[in-house]
Amino acid sequence: MPKRGKKYLSAAQLVDRTKLYDPMEALELVKKTARANFDETIEVAFRLGVDVRHADQQIRGAVVLPGGTGKEVRVLVFAKGDKAKEAEAAGADFVGAEDLVAKIQEGWLDFDVAVATPDMMSIVGKLGRILGPRGLMPNPKTGTVTFDVTNAIREIKAGKVEYRTDKSGIVAAPIGKASFDVDRLAANFRALVDALLRARPAAAKGQYMKSITVSSTMGPGIKINPARVTAIAEK
């Protein structure tokens, strides 16, 4: 096992590893355990009761966090003509077509989210092996393949995050920064929980949210009581 630093060990002493915390209590505690010399990202991991071997139980989507992510997001848009002009006016950081495809094929990846108009997917598809493994491939399920590029860019800049189950049925997504106040983190947590509840597959049986853990970038995991997530959603 890797050797833990003094800050981590000190923060870990604040956490009862045998306890399932109330959501608000966990969010207050995760701020206290974020002791790095930078503004740590707060992330939540949900272990869901789904069998991802079945396509109808794989979950993927996106949600706009009402409190934002606290991160400046660089948006690239694949578009031509009027849609390219619209993307530039909406605040896209990079706009282009074949020129951007060629640049990415040469190794350039200095962007965080890619959006494409549907008519551009024939050329964007060439980048599947590059963008796919990095989670950067435009996808209709996350609203990044659309003719409404203005709305897509605004949502991304406002705090839109994508989520998807991994091979173990776990969804992990950021809900903000350690510098956020608890109410802001709670609003983002609630939005993510609501999105996952709405995305529950009809084929999923038994307990849906099996475990929930919140942590900062360099801090210990804090377990949240799955039975209490509805309390923060209703508050």
Side-chain angles (χ1 to χ4, degrees):
M1 292 181 62
K3 186 177 180 180
R4 299 292 191 180
K6 291 182 179 179
K7 289 184 179 180
Y8 177 92
L9 294 175
S10 175
Q13 291 180 355
L14 300 175
V15 181
D16 183 348
R17 300 178 71 87
T18 67
K19 180 178 178 179
L20 293 178
Y21 287 86
D22 178 86
M24 290 298 288
E25 186 181 8
L27 295 177
E28 291 172 352
L29 183 56
V30 77
K31 284 176 56 64
K32 296 177 182 178
T33 60
R35 298 184 173 183
N37 296 325
F38 61 92
D39 194 5
E40 297 180 57
T41 295
I42 305 300
E43 183 177 88
V44 184
F46 300 81
R47 185 166 66 88
L48 303 179
V50 296
D51 187 347
V52 295
R53 293 174 297 177
H54 301 287
D56 63 348
Q57 294 191 51
Q58 295 173 7
I59 296 172
R60 182 172 186 178
V63 59
V64 178
L65 301 180
T69 62
K71 177 183 176 182
E72 289 292 330
V73 182
R74 298 165 298 176
V75 181
L76 177 151
V77 178
F78 294 101
K80 288 183 175 181
D82 291 342
K83 287 299 175 182
K85 295 177 181 178
E86 180 183 333
E88 291 173 350
D93 298 277
F94 310 100
V95 182
E98 287 87 355
D99 56 327
L100 284 181
V101 172
K103 192 173 181 179
I104 292 170
Q105 288 174 327
E106 292 171 358
W108 178 78
L109 290 167
D110 293 336
F111 58 94
D112 302 299
V113 181
V115 176
T117 54
D119 59 311
M120 293 299 299
M121 289 306 293
S122 59
I123 66 168
V124 176
K126 300 175 184 178
L127 301 173
R129 292 184 179 181
I130 300 173
L131 300 184
R134 294 172 173 80
L136 294 172
M137 191 69 180
N139 190 300
K141 292 183 179 179
T142 60
T144 49
V145 177
T146 176
F147 280 119
D148 190 357
V149 293
T150 295
N151 186 59
I153 294 166
R154 286 176 178 171
E155 286 188 342
I156 293 166
K157 293 283 189 179
K160 185 176 184 178
V161 297
E162 297 183 11
Y163 57 83
R164 66 185 302 176
T165 45
D166 66 11
K167 61 183 180 180
S168 300
I170 294 173
V171 170
I175 58 168
K177 295 288 186 177
S179 58
F180 286 15
D181 61 39
V182 174
D183 288 340
R184 190 175 175 186
L185 288 174
N188 287 347
F189 177 75
R190 180 171 59 249
L192 181 57
V193 167
D194 288 346
L196 291 176
L197 290 175
R198 289 195 301 271
R200 177 173 181 162
K205 305 300 180 183
Q207 185 178 355
Y208 180 50
M209 291 189 174
K210 291 191 171 183
S211 68
I212 306 171
T213 304
V214 63
S215 63
S216 62
T217 304
M218 305 295 290
I222 301 166
K223 297 177 181 178
I224 294 176
N225 187 346
R228 292 289 296 153
V229 295
T230 53
I232 195 172
E234 294 171 355
K235 187 172 182 180

